[in-house]
Amino acid sequence: MSVAFTKESDAEAVAADLPDRPIPAHPNLVTTNGLAQIETALTAARAAYAEAQASGSISSDRTAMARATRDLRYWSARRASAQLVETRPGDGSVGFGSCVSFERADGRAQTYAIVGDDEADPAQGSVSYVSPLARAMIGKTVGDVVMLAGQEVEIVAVA
């Protein structure tokens, strides 16, 4: 069919049909900070949903309503499934909520906090507890050598 024969409203309907954000199958472990971030995102999603409803432009801006509805579903589900983990391992090993520092063979030192999925931001120094880096480190202690991306790294600090 030629583009000339499509209706503009059809394009809006397609744009408004947003797929749900994927929810990981593993447990939704969160730190205190991660839970606060979920609460903030849920509040923002509720506000965006209320604004989309109140604006009366649902028929003219279906994409905004679809986005608000999708985000509200996602953050509501994440809040409902959140499992707060407030303690780290007391034996000095790496675990959920730990900050682990390690050195690479080339001398580079890196530090990452091991947190929940929604809180993870590798650029800011945090990774999900199900990431390859976290899975390689969990249960290890200072001095242990771990294979990470095909290279050996040594854990130099755990906090």
Side-chain angles (χ1 to χ4, degrees), residues 109-131:
Q110 293 179 289
T111 301
Y112 288 98
I114 298 175
V115 297
D117 290 327
D118 296 312
E119 186 180 358
D121 184 355
Q124 298 299 315
S126 60
V127 294
S128 171
Y129 76 101
V130 296
S131 69

Side-chain angles (χ1 to χ4, degrees), residues 1-2 21 23-24 27 33-34 41 47 52 56 66-67 71 73 89 94-95 98 100 102 107 115-116 119 131 142 158:
M1 174 186 285
S2 170
R21 292 177 63 178
I23 295 178
N33 188 44
R67 188 177 310 114
D71 289 349
R73 278 193 309 266
V94 177
S98 297
V100 59
F102 55 93
V115 297
E119 186 180 358
S131 69
V142 172
V158 177

Side-chain angles (χ1 to χ4, degrees), residues 11-22 61-73:
E12 287 176 8
V14 170
D17 188 25
L18 298 174
D20 279 339
R21 292 177 63 178
D61 188 4
R62 294 180 55 192
T63 303
M65 185 62 179
R67 188 177 310 114
T69 303
R70 177 190 65 180
D71 289 349
L72 184 58
R73 278 193 309 266

Side-chain angles (χ1 to χ4, degrees), residues 50-61:
E51 182 180 325
Q53 276 190 320
S55 71
S57 63
I58 293 172
S59 60
S60 65
D61 188 4

